[in-house]
Amino acid sequence: MSKIRIYTIAKELGIENAEMLSILDDLGIEYKSVSSTIEEDTVELIKGIVAEGRGSAPAVAQTDQPQPEKQEEVNTDTVQNDQAKTEKSRVDQTPAQADSGLSAEELAELAELEAEEAAEQAAAAARAELPHRAPVVTIMGHVDHGKTSLLDYIRSSKVAAKEAGGITQHVGAFEAKTSKGRVVFIDTPGHEAFTSIRARGANVADIAVIVIAADDSLMPQTREAIAHAQAAKVPMLVAINKVDLAQADPERVKADLTTINLVPEDYGGDVITVPVSARTGEGVEDLLEYISLTAELEDLRADPKGEFGGVIIESRVDKQAGVLATVMVQEGTLKVGDFLVVGENYGKVKAMTDSAGGRIKEAGPSTPVQILGFSESPSSGELVSRTENEHAARELIAGREEKRREEEEARKKPKLSLDDILGP
Ligand code: GTP
Ligand code: MG
C-alpha cells in the first residue's frame, strides 16, 4: 500500500493545509506535520469528505427523500462517485497555499520536500531513457518437483554452448536466448538466491518461477518459496511441472493455490500458471514467453555506461586457476583489467568468461560472468564495486576496516561496570 504526503493531498484537492489537518483531527488520524504520510485508504476517505463539503451537500438538501444517516465508516464506492462529480469543478481552483497557516519552518520543510520530489521525478524520467536489460529469473520449489530438470531443459534447448576447447565451468547462472530476447537464469538453488543474497541487502532476481509438480501439488517448500518471493516483492510465475505424467492433476494445483490466496487467471485471479513438462519440453516455450511478458511489465532498465555495480552469485576455489567468482553485472559494464572491491577484499579482473564458457572482454547489465582475480573467495550476495586503480581499492578497504573495527569496539564496550554499580 503506497503512502502519500499530507501536503501533496491538500494541494491536489485545492484545500489549505490547515483545513487538511483539521479533517485528519476529526478523523482521529495521527500525524506529525504536513509532511507526514498517510495511507491511500485514508486519502480516499478525505477526498470523499472534501467532495461532500463542496458539491454533494446542497444536492442532498434539495431531495424530499430522507437521507440515510452517514455512517462512521465511509463507503468507498460513494466516496469515489462523489469525487468524480467534483472532479470538474475542482480544476479552476487555485491551491490555497498563500495563507496556509504554516510556520516559516514548515514552509521551508515543504519547499525542501517538493524539491526532493521534483528530483525523484527527474531521476525517474532519466531512467526511462535507459536501455532495457534482460530479466534475471530464479527457480524455486519443493524437493524433486523438477527445478533442475526444468533448468536443464531450458539450458540444453536455449543455450548454444561455445566449444572453446575448454571445460565449461559451472557459473551458477546462464543466459537463454528466446524469441523475445535474453533471459538470465540463476541456477544456484533458488532459496539461496533469496536468503543469503537478500540477507546482504541485494536483490538479484527480478522474477521468481515457482515450480509445482502436478502429481504432488503444494508442499511445505512450495509455500516457503512463495513466501520468499512475496517478501522480496518479486513477481511470481507458477510452472505446473510434470504434466506428462498420467497422474498429473494441474487443476488440483490451481485449486490448491486459491487456498493460499494465489488465484490463477482461469479462476478469475491474476496469478499466471503455466503447465509444463521438463521431460518432454511441453509448455516451456510458453513459460519463456510469460517470463518475457512479465519482464516487459516490470520495465527493467540499466545504464551500461553508468557506474558499475554487481553482486556475487557464488564463488569457488579451483586448484589450478584460483578463486573463480560468479558476478552478476547489475549496472554499468565490467571489463577485464578493472579493479573490484568486495567487502574488505579487492582483485583485478584477470580473465572473464560468460556463462557458456567463452572468454569475453566486457559484460553489460544482467550478464552473469565468471571472473578470475580475487585472492580470497567472496560470499554470495556481497556487493561488488569498481575503483579507478589499486590505490583507490586499498583506500576503500581501509575505510571499511576502520568502520568495522569501530562498530566492534562499540559493541564490546560494557554499558556499566560493576564498579559503576557498586560505587566507590
Ligand atoms: P531438488 O534439487 O532435489 O530439490 O529437486 P528438483 O526440484 O531439482 O527436481 P529434479 O529436477 O531433480 O527432478 C526430480 C525428479 O523428477 C527426477 O527424477 C526427474 O527426472 C523428475 N522430473 C522432473 N521433471 C519432470 C517432468 O516434467 N516429468 C517427469 N515425468 N518427471 C520429471
Ligand atoms: Mg535440483
Side-chain angles (χ1 to χ4, degrees):
M1 171 110 354
S2 66
K3 292 187 158 218
I4 305 163
R5 289 195 201 281
I6 293 170
Y7 72 80
T8 312
I9 310 155
K11 201 166 156 188
E12 208 175 284
L13 293 176
I15 62 169
E16 287 176 20
N17 283 299
E19 189 185 338
M20 182 73 193
L21 296 183
S22 95
I23 293 173
L24 289 174
D25 289 339
D26 288 346
L27 290 169
I29 292 162
E30 288 185 11
Y31 57 85
K32 277 208 184 109
S33 70
V34 285
S35 56
S36 301
T37 59
I38 54 178
E39 297 284 350
E40 217 161 27
D41 279 355
T42 316
V43 177
E44 288 308 316
L45 204 67
I46 292 162
K47 282 182 181 170
I49 291 165
V50 172
E52 209 146 274
R54 265 187 208 143
S56 314
V60 167
Q62 277 164 13
T63 58
D64 295 335
Q65 293 292 334
Q67 291 296 312
E69 269 297 308
K70 190 103 193 111
Q71 286 173 353
E72 274 297 331
E73 288 281 323
V74 177
N75 180 327
T76 15
D77 287 345
T78 330
V79 167
Q80 266 151 7
N81 285 340
D82 287 349
Q83 191 194 324
K85 265 186 251 163
T86 47
E87 203 79 53
K88 278 207 181 74
S89 66
R90 200 194 298 150
V91 176
D92 46 18
Q93 285 180 350
T94 52
Q97 214 180 319
D99 50 354
S100 56
L102 294 179
S103 70
E105 203 174 277
E106 279 177 317
L107 279 171
E109 191 188 353
L110 206 65
E112 199 176 296
L113 283 161
E114 278 175 342
E116 241 171 58
E117 243 164 50
E120 265 169 35
Q121 274 168 13
R127 189 154 187 88
E129 300 282 299
L130 296 176
H132 280 106
R133 63 174 179 83
V136 178
V137 181
T138 185
I139 298 207
M140 300 195 282
H142 194 69
V143 180
D144 277 353
H145 278 197
K147 302 177 290 291
T148 305
S149 306
L150 192 57
L151 279 172
D152 282 348
Y153 185 89
I154 296 169
R155 195 199 310 260
S156 63
S157 61
K158 294 288 168 187
V159 179
K162 284 177 196 149
E163 307 291 334
I167 310 148
T168 303
Q169 308 276 13
H170 176 70
V171 174
F174 68 91
E175 297 172 54
K177 304 258 187 300
T178 76
S179 56
K180 292 271 162 61
R182 235 160 42 89
V183 176
V184 180
F185 288 91
I186 309 178
D187 70 355
T188 41
H191 289 74
E192 224 169 277
F194 272 86
T195 49
S196 64
I197 293 179
R198 279 194 67 231
R200 291 185 167 86
N203 233 346
V204 81
D206 302 305
I207 297 170
V209 171
I210 311 291
V211 176
I212 307 177
D215 61 338
D216 211 16
S217 201
L218 293 190
M219 285 290 140
Q221 272 178 270
T222 318
R223 295 169 203 269
E224 205 182 296
I226 290 168
H228 278 305
Q230 285 173 332
K233 296 196 170 66
V234 167
M236 252 186 289
L237 292 171
V238 176
I240 304 179
N241 191 31
K242 306 196 188 185
V243 292
D244 58 291
L245 292 175
Q247 65 272 35
D249 190 355
E251 288 309 313
R252 184 186 146 210
V253 176
K254 289 186 204 171
D256 286 351
L257 281 170
T258 61
T259 67
I260 54 167
N261 287 325
L262 290 181
V263 185
E265 282 186 316
D266 34 353
Y267 279 67
D270 57 4
V271 175
I272 295 166
T273 58
V274 193
V276 299
S277 165
R279 181 153 296 172
T280 66
E282 181 190 339
V284 173
E285 206 55 56
D286 294 337
L287 178 63
L288 292 172
E289 183 109 343
Y290 277 116
I291 288 172
S292 298
L293 273 173
T294 309
E296 225 169 87
L297 291 176
E298 292 294 299
D299 197 29
L300 307 166
R301 294 169 191 272
D303 188 0
K305 295 194 188 85
E307 193 175 332
F308 166 78
V311 182
I312 299 287
I313 301 292
E314 60 180 32
S315 76
R316 63 192 183 86
V317 183
D318 180 278
K319 274 196 195 116
Q320 268 125 43
V323 175
L324 291 169
T326 299
V327 175
M328 180 70 72
V329 179
Q330 296 189 300
E331 290 280 344
T333 299
L334 180 60
K335 298 188 183 78
V336 170
D338 280 350
F339 279 95
L340 299 183
V341 176
V342 175
E344 293 176 12
N345 295 309
Y346 78 92
K348 184 180 176 174
V349 183
K350 286 187 215 145
M352 190 152 71
T353 42
D354 64 14
S355 57
R359 285 283 189 113
I360 50 170
K361 288 247 162 3
E362 52 177 65
S366 290
T367 312
V369 289
Q370 192 170 62
I371 62 166
L372 189 64
F374 285 110
S375 53
E376 277 177 63
S377 236
S379 314
S380 57
E382 285 196 278
L383 298 179
V384 191
S385 47
R386 172 168 54 197
T387 57
E388 274 306 307
N389 48 43
E390 188 168 351
H391 178 72
R394 284 179 189 279
E395 267 188 354
L396 179 59
I397 289 168
R400 285 181 182 178
E401 282 170 345
E402 195 184 317
K403 192 164 171 247
R404 172 177 52 81
R405 271 195 293 270
E406 276 171 10
E407 280 167 4
E408 277 168 7
E409 278 306 311
R411 242 178 284 131
K412 253 188 271 165
K413 247 181 222 154
K415 287 210 174 71
L416 276 176
S417 71
L418 204 57
D419 283 345
D420 288 334
I421 298 165
L422 298 176

